[in-house]
Amino acid sequence: MNIVLSRDSQVRLMEDTVANAEKSFGQFCSLLAAYTRKTARLRDKADQLVRQLIDFANTENPELRATVRDFAEDLAKVQDYRQAEVERLETKVVNPLKLYGAQIKQTRAEIKKLKHAQTNEIKQLQKLEKLRQKSPSDRQMISQAETSAQRASADASRTTRQLEDTVGTFQRQKLKDLQKIFSDFVTIEMVFHAKAVEVYSSAFQTLENYHPERDLQDFTAKMQGVYGHHTARPLADSNPSPPGLWPPASQGPSSVPPRRADKGRPHADHGRFGPTEWGRGQPAHRACKDGC
Amino acid sequence: MNIVLSRDSQVRLMEDTVANAEKSFGQFCSLLAAYTRKTARLRDKADQLVRQLIDFANTENPELRATVRDFAEDLAKVQDYRQAEVERLETKVVNPLKLYGAQIKQTRAEIKKLKHAQTNEIKQLQKLEKLRQKSPSDRQMISQAETSAQRASADASRTTRQLEDTVGTFQRQKLKDLQKIFSDFVTIEMVFHAKAVEVYSSAFQTLENYHPERDLQDFTAKMQGVYGHHTARPLADSNPSPPGLWPPASQGPSSVPPRRADKGRPHADHGRFGPTEWGRGQPAHRACKDGC
């Protein structure tokens, strides 16, 4: 009977192996899908910041306008790399983890087959034992029952070997896939972070090179040069003022450029702002349920 | 009257400058607070992945256990750097932006003062004009009104100069602070990304160095060595089985280590898992309202 007991233990170990893999891979899948989604949310927020920076730049003096735009462009570039990160995580990390559902289903089916063979083996053994107790002298019946038990045992034995192969292959694939998936995760993250360092280094230079003095001169000139450049509000009287009280309106035509006139250079969105791309406009829970 | 009109334009320009700064800095503050919050959410999700990896490692064979733990440690390190990023963004980017509220309030108060002086100047001028039309011969009254208008004009003129200084200082500070805040943002991001590249490079090596063969041998041994190591399920009969059908239960005491026994090395959380730190356990909208 020992082999039956150990086969039972073996099935339980196999079931544990598959159940653990199913649980762990399911959780990895959910967590990495959520991680990807949160990364997409961070990208969205930074995209909003890019747009806000460009709107702001359009209201500022030339030096700051150029600086803020260049900075916004760099920030947008980082988001492009983040978008690539999101897409790669989806393709090379989340999707492969989803595929485990199918593999686990197949291995479960194989285990079920073994359980059936095992149940049959136990049934035949119990039948044989009963016969031995009730009719110890009925050699023919006992011999038949022995043959049936032997067949059932051989069947269970063969199924066990098949299952050992299946579960062994499953385990080997699991270890390799795990290594591959997490290596891909690390590579994707590493590439993104390296690109971000590169782009932010350039952004840092852009900001360092900004000197507010010229903009401040422009601002002061605008403040002082504003005399007579705006349409006058109608007043109760337009009589000439007494001499000596007010200087003449001496300034020529306006040199103040209109504000917010400079909207011709929208953020280069690199095709990322369409309604269909990943993570955009989807409810936060959506990818959570996506097959993990 | 021209100087009054141009002062009016100047006040409007100053008001525009301050209103634009208020709007832009408010939006930068909200967006960067949200960006920081989303970064904290990403850190939380990665922390969950770290815990899940450690739980998983504890159910696996030694080689994979060590690999997954090392990988989890590296992933936790990246989250430590992300936590530092979150704290620095809060201190050096979001908080300084919040401080603009106070500065803008003060500048607004100065502008109000100028508006008051300006209204008084216009009132005195209108009074003078009325007198000139109604009683052109009353030299004494006209002379008094001229003096009052002159005083009001001098007052408006002085206030205007003061305000030019105030708004000039405000603008200078705004440009410098903007440069400082965004440079700090870029530096914080750059440091984080550089650290992440460093840690992920080590994580990549850890995963590359994993060879599943030994774990697979262990797994196979466990599968085959399981015979007789589990407590037997009681069966109907414990009589000796017929010779030749079942091999003897030959194995000695169990060499299979208990699963999930190995929980002694929890994730080094570096004090980040307390209930009080930033962004943890707070509703998503909370920091949104935080004074921007």
Side-chain angles (χ1 to χ4, degrees):
Chain A
M1 214 64 185
N2 273 333
I3 194 161
V4 178
L5 299 181
S6 62
R7 250 186 223 132
D8 186 52
S9 302
Q10 202 174 2
V11 170
R12 270 188 279 155
L13 183 60
M14 285 169 175
E15 279 179 329
D16 278 359
T17 300
V18 175
N20 271 337
E22 186 172 29
K23 183 174 153 265
S24 299
F25 277 72
Q27 282 169 334
F28 289 146
C29 182
S30 289
L31 285 171
L32 283 159
Y35 181 89
T36 308
R37 225 158 39 235
K38 301 247 175 271
T39 303
R41 296 285 169 273
L42 191 59
R43 171 209 62 197
D44 288 346
K45 206 42 80 178
D47 279 344
Q48 283 182 34
L49 182 59
V50 166
R51 283 189 284 260
Q52 178 57 32
L53 282 165
I54 290 168
D55 281 355
F56 171 74
N58 289 333
T59 67
E60 287 295 322
N61 286 313
E63 297 277 321
L64 186 62
R65 179 159 63 229
T67 302
V68 172
R69 275 181 180 175
D70 286 351
F71 171 55
E73 284 292 318
D74 280 340
L75 198 57
K77 254 188 226 163
V78 174
Q79 306 328 307
D80 290 343
Y81 287 124
R82 220 189 289 268
Q83 169 67 7
E85 178 200 3
V86 163
E87 283 167 7
R88 283 176 197 152
L89 285 174
E90 185 72 353
T91 311
K92 299 190 91 178
V93 176
V94 179
N95 286 344
L97 282 167
K98 281 184 204 166
L99 291 181
Y100 265 84
Q103 284 192 34
I104 282 165
K105 210 171 162 185
Q106 192 191 331
T107 313
R108 275 204 189 292
E110 298 278 330
I111 293 176
K112 212 172 167 185
K113 240 199 259 172
L114 171 62
K115 273 193 140 175
H116 182 75
Q118 208 184 15
T119 313
N120 188 41
E121 186 187 18
I122 292 168
K123 230 160 69 184
Q124 299 303 328
L125 282 174
Q126 285 171 337
K127 204 170 156 190
L128 175 63
E129 292 304 322
K130 258 190 197 160
L131 264 178
R132 280 197 183 125
Q133 285 182 336
K134 283 192 178 171
S135 338
S137 57
D138 191 344
R139 302 301 301 165
Q140 199 192 349
M141 283 287 277
I142 287 174
S143 174
Q144 269 178 12
E146 273 179 0
T147 310
S148 292
Q150 225 160 351
R151 267 196 212 121
S153 178
D155 192 36
S157 193
R158 198 188 63 247
T159 315
T160 303
R161 277 194 305 277
Q162 278 174 0
L163 191 59
E164 275 174 17
D165 284 353
T166 303
V167 175
T169 306
F170 173 80
Q171 182 74 355
R172 175 180 295 276
Q173 197 60 38
K174 184 189 94 173
L175 298 185
K176 285 196 170 173
D177 285 353
L178 204 74
Q179 186 181 23
K180 171 90 170 66
I181 288 169
F182 283 116
S183 290
D184 281 347
F185 172 82
V186 169
T187 307
I188 292 164
E189 292 295 283
M190 207 158 43
V191 167
F192 166 66
H193 290 300
K195 288 289 181 191
V197 170
E198 195 184 303
V199 177
Y200 278 131
S201 301
S202 136
F204 187 78
Q205 273 315 311
T206 300
L207 291 167
E208 277 295 288
N209 292 339
Y210 173 63
H211 299 290
E213 284 67 31
R214 231 169 86 183
D215 281 338
L216 282 167
Q217 282 168 12
D218 277 11
F219 179 76
T220 309
K222 206 194 267 181
M223 290 273 286
Q224 289 164 351
V226 82
Y227 290 78
H229 295 168
H230 284 72
T231 313
R233 202 168 62 180
L235 269 175
D237 195 299
S238 60
N239 276 2
S241 35
L245 255 178
W246 296 282
S250 59
Q251 286 76 11
S254 172
S255 64
V256 181
R259 308 189 86 182
R260 294 180 177 272
D262 195 332
K263 285 188 169 170
R265 193 179 164 205
H267 164 227
D269 61 17
H270 306 260
R272 284 194 297 109
F273 292 95
T276 55
E277 77 277 39
W278 197 88
R280 226 166 265 268
Q282 296 178 357
H285 64 274
R286 179 168 162 181
C288 218
K289 311 282 181 196
D290 52 7
C292 292
Chain B
M1 215 63 187
N2 273 334
I3 194 160
V4 179
L5 299 182
S6 61
R7 253 186 222 133
D8 185 54
S9 302
Q10 203 174 0
V11 171
R12 271 188 279 155
L13 183 60
M14 286 169 175
E15 281 179 326
D16 277 1
T17 300
V18 175
N20 271 338
E22 186 173 27
K23 183 174 154 262
S24 299
F25 277 72
Q27 283 169 334
F28 288 147
C29 182
S30 289
L31 285 171
L32 283 159
Y35 180 89
T36 308
R37 227 158 36 236
K38 301 246 174 274
T39 304
R41 298 282 169 274
L42 190 60
R43 170 209 63 197
D44 289 345
K45 205 42 81 180
D47 279 342
Q48 283 183 33
L49 182 59
V50 166
R51 284 189 282 262
Q52 178 57 32
L53 282 165
I54 290 168
D55 282 355
F56 171 75
N58 289 333
T59 67
E60 288 295 323
N61 287 314
E63 297 277 321
L64 185 63
R65 180 159 63 229
T67 302
V68 172
R69 274 182 180 175
D70 287 350
F71 170 55
E73 284 292 317
D74 281 339
L75 198 57
K77 253 188 228 163
V78 174
Q79 305 328 305
D80 289 343
Y81 287 122
R82 222 190 288 267
Q83 169 66 6
E85 178 199 5
V86 163
E87 283 167 7
R88 283 176 198 153
L89 285 174
E90 186 72 354
T91 311
K92 299 190 91 177
V93 176
V94 178
N95 286 345
L97 282 167
K98 281 183 203 166
L99 291 181
Y100 265 82
Q103 285 193 33
I104 281 164
K105 211 172 161 184
Q106 193 191 332
T107 312
R108 275 203 190 293
E110 298 278 330
I111 293 175
K112 213 173 166 184
K113 241 199 263 171
L114 172 62
K115 274 193 140 173
H116 182 73
Q118 210 183 14
T119 313
N120 189 40
E121 186 187 15
I122 292 169
K123 230 162 67 186
Q124 298 303 330
L125 282 173
Q126 285 171 337
K127 205 171 153 186
L128 175 64
E129 293 304 322
K130 257 190 199 162
L131 263 178
R132 281 197 183 124
Q133 284 182 335
K134 282 192 178 172
S135 336
S137 56
D138 191 343
R139 302 301 300 163
Q140 199 193 350
M141 286 286 277
I142 287 174
S143 174
Q144 269 179 11
E146 273 179 0
T147 309
S148 293
Q150 224 162 351
R151 266 195 213 123
S153 178
D155 193 37
S157 193
R158 199 188 61 248
T159 315
T160 303
R161 279 192 305 275
Q162 279 174 359
L163 191 60
E164 273 175 18
D165 285 353
T166 304
V167 175
T169 306
F170 173 81
Q171 181 74 354
R172 175 179 296 274
Q173 197 59 38
K174 184 189 96 174
L175 298 185
K176 284 196 169 171
D177 286 352
L178 205 75
Q179 186 180 25
K180 171 87 170 65
I181 288 168
F182 282 116
S183 290
D184 281 346
F185 171 82
V186 169
T187 306
I188 293 164
E189 293 293 285
M190 208 158 43
V191 167
F192 165 66
H193 290 300
K195 288 290 180 188
V197 170
E198 195 185 304
V199 177
Y200 277 131
S201 301
S202 136
F204 187 78
Q205 273 314 310
T206 301
L207 290 167
E208 278 294 287
N209 292 340
Y210 173 63
H211 299 290
E213 283 67 31
R214 231 168 88 182
D215 281 338
L216 282 166
Q217 281 168 14
D218 278 11
F219 179 76
T220 309
K222 204 194 270 181
M223 291 273 285
Q224 288 165 351
V226 81
Y227 290 76
H229 294 169
H230 283 72
T231 312
R233 202 167 63 181
L235 268 174
D237 194 301
S238 60
N239 276 3
S241 37
L245 256 178
W246 296 280
S250 58
Q251 286 77 7
S254 170
S255 64
V256 182
R259 308 188 87 180
R260 294 182 178 270
D262 194 333
K263 287 189 170 170
R265 193 180 162 203
H267 164 227
D269 63 17
H270 306 259
R272 285 195 298 110
F273 292 96
T276 55
E277 76 278 38
W278 196 90
R280 228 166 264 269
Q282 296 177 356
H285 64 274
R286 180 168 159 179
C288 219
K289 312 282 182 195
D290 51 8
C292 291

